[in-house]
Amino acid sequence: MGLREDLAALTDEGTAAFAAATTQDALETARIAFLGTNGREKDLTKAFGALPGPEKREFGPLLNQAKTAVKEAFDAAKARLADVEADAPIDLTLPGPARRQGSLHPVSQVSREVEEVFTSMGYEIADGPHIELDEFNFSRLNIPADHPARDHQDTFWLSTGKLLRTHTSAVQSRVYPKVQPPFRKVVVGKVFRYEAVDATHDNTFTQVEGFVVDTDITVAHLVGTIRTMLTALLKRDDVEVRLRPSFFPFVEPGFEVDVRLTKADPASRFSRWVELMGCGMIHPEVLTAGGIDPTRFQGFAFGLGMERLVMLRHGITDIRVFHGADLRSLRQFGN
Ligand code: PHE
């Protein structure tokens, strides 16, 4: 086909395409095809440019006619569609664009509940840094230098000699020198352990630490507090709690708390005892290190893994869900 025919085709097909466009999208598609940088008009303009001089004189006016015709058809279509849009009735009953509502991470949700439960029992919220001194994380908690918890295997040490706190008990060390009893404090925060990650262990998790110092504090207060907390947080009526003697250097006596849900599906992990937390009466050495007289005051402390609690509450069997950043999992806990 010669240039003359091509120009005629451009005019016919271009004007037809613009006339047929009934939506902005269709108009834009046609514009790209005929008037775009790689469109047909550009191709023919290039072909024209390659013609020898005498032929240019012949085809110049034809090219200009074609261009004008196509441009006019485009302008007309554009004006027509703008009018259509302006005239379109607005249906006020149509639903708006759906907006997905965000939600708090399940651990954050339960953290807030924990803080509520404890503030309602007269506790104050305390906090401390993630990057901690050996002194606060270990020494002041009566953890001797040769204790395995200080092992490089268990703790992330920084090149500065500081470490990522391995437990929220470090906040006890920070609070004691600043306050005199009686007091009740609760801490919710991240802790870090150099652990192999599997379904029940993560290297980063969240702990809740509670500690109370007063005169005449006993293990009975501790047990009562733990029961109250778990009943409120698990929102179940089948929570059974068991204390086993255990060892933590910063408490004496120390206990491990196990929990079982008596009405859980027998196939579920939670129909059997699940180790949930450590607790005990604050060691006199720890009080002394914090400037509190252990002959006048006693207290209890407990620390529990928040993720374990959330798993128990929602029947989650893999702790990796929490840091997996898979929104499909996390969205199920939207509130
Ligand atoms: N800090 C202990 C842990 O991380 C838990 C604990 C806290 C135990 C307070 C006793 C008292 O394992």
Side-chain angles (χ1 to χ4, degrees):
M1 242 197 321
L3 187 55
R4 186 184 304 277
E5 290 78 15
D6 286 344
L7 286 171
L10 171 67
T11 308
D12 291 350
E13 289 167 33
T15 49
F18 289 129
T22 53
T23 63
Q24 292 290 353
D25 280 351
L27 178 65
E28 179 62 7
T29 308
R31 188 191 66 76
I32 292 168
F34 290 97
L35 302 176
T37 336
N38 298 312
R40 282 171 61 177
E41 187 189 282
K42 273 272 153 28
D43 288 347
L44 296 185
T45 308
K46 252 185 247 157
F48 169 79
L51 291 177
E55 288 188 33
K56 276 212 176 89
R57 265 190 298 284
E58 180 191 345
F59 282 105
L62 293 180
L63 177 65
N64 282 337
Q65 273 170 23
K67 278 187 172 177
T68 311
V70 175
K71 177 75 168 60
E72 275 171 7
F74 170 71
D75 288 344
K78 201 167 143 184
R80 175 170 48 81
L81 288 178
D83 281 350
V84 167
E85 235 158 58
D87 289 349
I90 297 171
D91 183 351
L92 296 174
T93 65
L94 281 177
R99 229 193 257 185
R100 186 188 277 283
Q101 185 148 21
S103 62
L104 290 175
H105 189 282
V107 170
S108 302
Q109 288 176 31
V110 182
S111 300
R112 292 188 184 194
E113 283 179 38
V114 167
E115 291 182 349
E116 252 166 53
V117 168
F118 281 98
T119 44
S120 79
M121 293 195 280
Y123 283 67
E124 290 167 315
I125 294 168
D127 204 0
H130 292 167
I131 297 177
E132 189 51 285
L133 296 170
D134 176 302
E135 180 188 351
F136 292 124
N137 198 79
F138 295 130
S139 312
R140 286 177 182 238
L141 292 171
N142 198 31
I143 301 177
D146 59 356
H147 193 279
R150 290 195 175 201
D151 202 312
H152 282 66
Q153 300 296 326
D154 298 329
T155 304
F156 290 108
W157 292 88
L158 307 186
S159 51
T160 55
K162 291 187 178 180
L163 53 93
L164 297 186
R165 70 178 179 196
T166 60
H167 53 181
T168 41
S169 302
V171 182
Q172 289 188 45
S173 316
R174 287 186 169 268
V175 165
Y176 294 148
K178 292 196 209 134
V179 289
Q180 274 303 305
F183 56 79
R184 302 171 202 184
K185 304 277 182 185
V186 67
V187 182
V188 181
K190 288 228 186 303
V191 300
F192 309 88
R193 304 221 180 138
Y194 188 65
E195 295 225 46
V197 174
D198 64 23
T200 54
H201 297 89
D202 202 345
N203 52 29
T204 303
F205 57 100
T206 316
Q207 277 192 333
V208 181
E209 182 104 4
F211 47 97
V212 169
V213 181
D214 202 339
T215 51
D216 304 320
I217 294 288
T218 70
V219 173
H221 295 117
L222 169 60
V223 173
T225 305
I226 290 173
R227 284 235 167 84
T228 305
M229 167 178 76
L230 294 178
T231 304
L233 295 177
L234 291 173
K235 297 189 170 128
R236 290 180 67 116
D237 59 2
D238 62 340
V239 182
E240 205 180 339
V241 173
R242 157 176 102 173
L243 257 60
R244 276 179 295 118
S246 184
F247 174 74
F248 301 94
F250 35 95
V251 288
E252 178 58 36
F255 309 97
E256 201 94 54
V257 181
D258 299 339
V259 171
R260 163 168 85 166
L261 303 176
T262 57
K263 293 183 190 161
D265 179 343
S268 143
R269 171 74 190 86
F270 306 112
S271 63
R272 288 170 284 140
W273 291 110
V274 177
E275 186 186 311
L276 196 61
M277 54 192 285
C279 64
M281 301 303 290
I282 301 164
H283 199 290
E285 290 292 342
V286 173
L287 292 175
T288 305
I292 295 169
D293 180 357
T295 63
R296 290 177 58 211
F297 300 105
Q298 316 81 47
F300 66 74
F302 60 85
L304 93 150
M306 178 77 86
E307 283 79 1
R308 287 263 171 101
L309 190 75
V310 179
M311 288 166 81
L312 207 57
R313 177 154 134 180
H314 292 297
I316 299 171
T317 49
D318 193 330
I319 198 169
R320 289 167 289 197
V321 162
F322 296 116
H323 286 140
D326 185 340
L327 293 179
R328 288 170 306 177
S329 312
L330 297 176
R331 278 198 183 116
Q332 296 175 63
F333 306 101
N335 46 1

